[in-house]
Amino acid sequence: MSQVQNLTILGATGTIGENTLRVVALHPQRFNVVALTAGSQLEKLVTQCLRHTPRYAVVLDEASAVRLRSLLAQAGSSTTVLFGVEALEHVSSMPEVDVVMAAIVGAAGLRPAMAAARAGKRVLLANKETLVMAGRLFMQAVAEGGAELLPIDSEHNAIFQALPRDFRGDLAACGVRRILLTASGGPFRTTPLSDLPHVTPDQACAHPNWVMGRKISVDSATMMNKGLEVIEARWLFNALPEQIEVLIHPQSVIHSMVDYLDGSVIAQLGNPDMRTPIAYALGFPERIEAGVSALDLIGRGLTFEAPDYARFPCLKLAFAALEQGGMLPAVLNAANEVAVALYLAGAIGYGQIAPSIEHALDHALAGEPGALDDVIEADAQARRDTAAYLGPRAA
Ligand code: NAD
Ligand code: MG
């Protein structure tokens, strides 16, 4: 692909957004940044706008837009500032955009990712919540819009790389027996179980191998992140739950594997650096420089363990939500977002995260969502229920 590609980065100020801009900066002839969006961190967005001169910058609300306009005007920038969900949908679907990096965190990423899919863009999907909440609807939008979907989550990017290039959603036809989804086990893999109720948010966010946003870091500690990724894999690769196996691999060198009928297992390895899957998806089908150092395997031991559900009850809850299907994965995700936000704010303990999600799943309505609004309603309901459940228990 020699033509310059026009890029929208949703969630530009986050870890994925920043890493995307680092890769893009290595290839000025290949990529042209058209829009950058952010929830907060306006100063960072200003710096990015000055460096990458996008046509649009999008923020959450009018007050932030007014502030950003004044900051950009002072700096002599000609970037146009927009705000709100419609503006996010607009910069994800406008005709001059070729590629959309969907890297907003949480349920807020759903609508703009959907807009990009419907508009037939090349969608680089980091926002796993989109597939967890509305997997069937999103995959339909991708098919109907003629979009090209490339996974950014390192495990799914690894699986994508280990599958045949012509994979079209039929694992059996490709001779695949299982998908082996690797997990680091996070910072509490060997912490005594009796200490877990007292672990602090800073301890939970101190991931041994990856530098990530705080929400996904807590999810890695509870292994809810892996649970969300199991659901993500179900939709991306049209896999049955029993075709997906989670394997703890503490070194995070193997990013996931595909097990074939003939006994071959194909893995993707690399340093734990998100610029690798980002560059893979940006350059696809070509390989491009990511700025990541070569993997040095000398003296590295690679080990594997089975996950322990007593230590990681969130992983079990995610498998249960996937098995039951319908709206339950969206409920799982919403309850988890509420619980993790309260935990990060110091209002509840680590040990309250899993029970509050279980409570939400027990009280959720079943049924397939017919449209995106059904998912958004289930999400809102689960948020209210979880907040009400945790309210009296919060410190
Ligand atoms: P982050 O918290 O570092 O950044 C999130 C971005 O979204 C920021 O730009 C923030 O301003 C923006 N944002 C937050 N709330 C918003 C809202 N309500 N509306 C609009 N924008 C909002 O998160 P991250 O670690 O970069 O993760 C982004 C997504 O990528 C998540 O879905 C995460 O699960 C996924 N992911 C991240 C990693 C990683 O290594 N960080 C790996 C795999 C997948
Ligand atoms: Mg991942």
Side-chain angles (χ1 to χ4, degrees):
M1 216 177 280
S2 52
Q3 211 184 329
V4 175
Q5 298 203 282
N6 287 325
L7 191 62
T8 283
I9 304 179
L10 304 167
T13 55
T15 16
I16 296 291
E18 286 208 293
N19 277 317
T20 305
L21 286 172
R22 286 169 76 194
V23 177
V24 163
L26 297 175
H27 305 279
Q29 285 82 21
R30 245 183 133 97
F31 303 109
N32 173 41
V33 178
V34 178
L36 295 175
T37 88
S40 50
Q41 296 185 289
L42 297 190
E43 282 74 16
K44 199 188 264 185
L45 187 57
V46 170
T47 309
Q48 293 179 342
C49 286
L50 295 176
R51 168 83 179 73
H52 296 278
T53 60
R55 228 176 104 196
Y56 298 106
V58 184
V59 286
L60 272 185
D61 50 36
E62 190 165 11
S64 308
V66 169
R67 237 190 95 220
L68 183 64
R69 270 184 207 122
S70 121
L71 290 170
L72 285 173
Q74 278 166 32
S77 159
S78 57
T79 295
T80 301
V81 177
L82 307 173
F83 66 89
V85 178
E86 284 76 22
L88 290 175
E89 290 175 330
H90 175 64
V91 298
S92 304
S93 58
M94 55 192 188
E96 61 264 46
V97 169
D98 304 303
V99 182
V100 176
M101 166 58 83
I104 290 173
V105 64
L110 176 58
R111 280 193 181 277
M114 225 34 200
R118 285 189 184 123
K121 304 303 182 193
R122 170 178 278 201
V123 184
L124 313 191
L125 189 69
N127 179 267
K128 61 190 81 182
E129 296 85 349
T130 292
L131 283 171
V132 172
M133 294 176 70
R136 190 180 303 280
L137 294 171
F138 182 72
M139 295 308 284
Q140 264 168 16
V142 167
E144 286 165 18
E148 184 183 21
L149 180 59
L150 293 165
I152 294 299
D153 213 345
S154 57
E155 295 77 3
H156 305 76
N157 190 273
I159 294 160
F160 186 83
Q161 293 195 42
L163 282 170
R165 180 65 63 81
D166 61 358
F167 174 71
R168 293 283 178 275
D170 190 343
L171 289 173
C174 298
V176 173
R177 186 156 49 191
R178 286 175 311 165
I179 285 171
L180 300 172
L181 201 60
T182 54
S184 69
F188 305 137
R189 185 174 59 88
T190 58
T191 305
L193 284 182
S194 56
D195 291 352
L196 281 185
H198 316 293
V199 294
T200 66
D202 283 344
Q203 287 173 306
C205 290
H207 196 279
N209 307 334
W210 296 93
V211 179
M212 304 182 287
R214 282 173 80 78
K215 192 267 173 181
I216 183 174
S217 294
V218 176
D219 288 347
S220 296
T222 61
M223 277 190 81
M224 178 56 94
N225 183 49
K226 209 50 52 182
L228 300 177
E229 290 182 358
V230 168
I231 302 171
E232 187 184 5
R234 181 264 173 272
W235 292 111
L236 278 173
F237 308 115
N238 194 22
L240 299 168
E242 56 271 24
Q243 286 177 304
I244 308 169
E245 188 170 321
V246 173
L247 206 56
I248 293 189
H249 164 48
Q251 297 81 19
S252 299
V253 169
I254 294 178
H255 299 309
S256 278
M257 303 177 254
V258 177
D259 176 17
Y260 288 89
L261 281 180
D262 61 3
S264 300
V265 176
I266 301 190
Q268 187 259 355
L269 285 72
N271 285 314
D273 189 319
M274 289 308 291
R275 287 176 297 173
T276 296
I278 290 168
Y280 180 82
L282 279 172
F284 185 81
E286 287 173 43
R287 296 271 179 183
I288 62 171
E289 177 61 53
V292 177
S293 57
L295 177 64
D296 182 5
L297 281 169
I298 305 291
R300 301 282 289 265
L302 303 183
T303 60
F304 303 93
E305 300 162 16
D308 169 6
Y309 284 149
R311 179 177 294 279
F312 300 115
C314 287
L315 180 60
K316 193 173 180 191
L317 293 173
F319 266 107
L322 174 59
E323 298 274 358
Q324 292 179 58
M327 231 77 92
L328 289 193
V331 169
L332 172 95
N333 179 66
N336 180 57
E337 280 192 28
V338 170
V340 170
L342 287 172
Y343 172 65
L344 282 171
I348 64 164
Y350 184 84
Q352 287 172 276
I353 297 175
S356 61
I357 299 164
E358 191 168 9
H359 173 87
L361 290 176
D362 286 346
H363 291 78
L365 295 174
E368 266 308 315
L372 209 54
D373 284 345
D374 300 335
V375 177
I376 290 167
E377 177 48 36
D379 170 272
Q381 179 69 41
R383 279 167 203 274
R384 286 193 294 272
D385 288 353
T386 309
Y389 172 81
L390 283 172
R393 293 166 176 81

